[in-house]
């Protein structure tokens, strides 16, 4: 799980990073709430990504992207006819260093719901902190800060 901590305008990323001790981090994560978020996050690793919607449509997979065009009742018996594929994204990551190469790839499929609420817009356009946690225990496995946002 990855969390992004965006300091309030006027507060430095260094000050926020210095304040994130185990107790304060527990307080931050305890205060998180579930919400649909339209996340705008700059790239900060070597990666390649591609939206596959057009590619899949060109291969004949059109109904799944149309609102009400496909039957997803096996995913949701109560709302399956209201679901559609909103986005399919392929993302790869490569890190090459003196110790070797690390590579990963993931495909993300976003499901839309007809008449779903408008998501909150979360635009990360200034220095920020990211935290990667183990999903079940919440243990922090990596924390970093991005101090320069690429143009």
């Amino acid at each position: 799980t990855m969390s992004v901590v965006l300091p309030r305008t006027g507060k430095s990323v260094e000050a926020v990073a210095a304040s994130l001790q185990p107790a304060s981090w527990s307080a931050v994560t305890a205060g998180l709430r579930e919400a649909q978020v339209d996340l705008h996050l700059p790239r900060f690793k070597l990666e390649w990504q591609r939206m596959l919607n057009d590619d899949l449509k060109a291969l004949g997979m059109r109904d799944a992207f149309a609102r009400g065009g496909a039957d997803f009742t096996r995913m949701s018996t109560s709302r399956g006819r209201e679901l559609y594929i909103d986005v399919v994204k392929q993302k790869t990551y490569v890190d090459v260093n003196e110790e070797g190469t690390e590579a990963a790839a993931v495909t993300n499929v976003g499901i839309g719901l007809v008449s779903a609420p408008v998501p909150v817009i979360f635009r990360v356009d200034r220095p920020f902190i990211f935290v990667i946690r183990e999903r079940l225990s919440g243990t922090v496995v990596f924390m970093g800060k991005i101090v320069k946002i690429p143009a």
Side-chain angles (χ1 to χ4, degrees):
T1 300
M2 186 169 103
S3 300
V4 175
V5 179
L6 184 63
R8 295 180 193 268
T9 303
K11 190 157 187 167
S12 75
V13 70
E14 287 80 11
V16 173
S19 72
L20 288 179
Q21 301 301 317
S24 61
W25 179 248
S26 293
V28 167
T29 57
L32 295 176
R33 61 179 173 79
E34 188 171 323
Q36 285 192 352
V37 175
D38 184 4
L39 179 63
H40 299 261
L41 186 67
R43 295 181 192 184
F44 55 93
K45 296 283 187 190
L46 284 175
E47 61 185 36
W48 174 90
Q49 63 182 6
R50 180 181 172 102
M51 300 294 272
L52 299 177
N53 295 29
D54 292 337
D55 300 305
L56 294 170
K57 289 176 188 176
L59 291 170
M61 190 175 161
R62 297 186 199 298
D63 291 347
F65 291 90
R67 293 174 187 237
D71 180 1
F72 288 106
T73 53
R74 292 185 73 181
M75 290 174 58
S76 173
T77 55
S78 64
R79 302 193 84 170
R81 288 280 182 194
E82 299 173 37
L83 299 176
Y84 64 95
I85 295 178
D86 187 41
V87 64
V88 178
K89 185 191 305 185
Q90 175 77 50
K91 188 172 185 178
T92 59
Y93 164 85
V94 177
D95 182 8
V96 179
N97 59 44
E98 65 277 2
E99 295 180 22
T101 301
E102 180 181 357
V106 65
T107 302
N108 180 344
V109 179
I111 301 295
L113 176 64
V114 177
S115 301
V118 177
V120 174
I121 296 175
F122 183 53
R123 186 170 301 278
V124 181
D125 56 2
R126 57 187 182 275
F128 64 96
I129 296 166
F130 65 98
V131 180
I132 298 175
R133 299 177 285 138
E134 196 280 322
R135 185 175 60 86
L136 298 175
S137 71
T139 301
V140 174
V141 293
F142 188 82
M143 180 184 291
K145 61 183 176 179
I146 304 299
V147 296
K148 183 176 179 184
I149 303 298

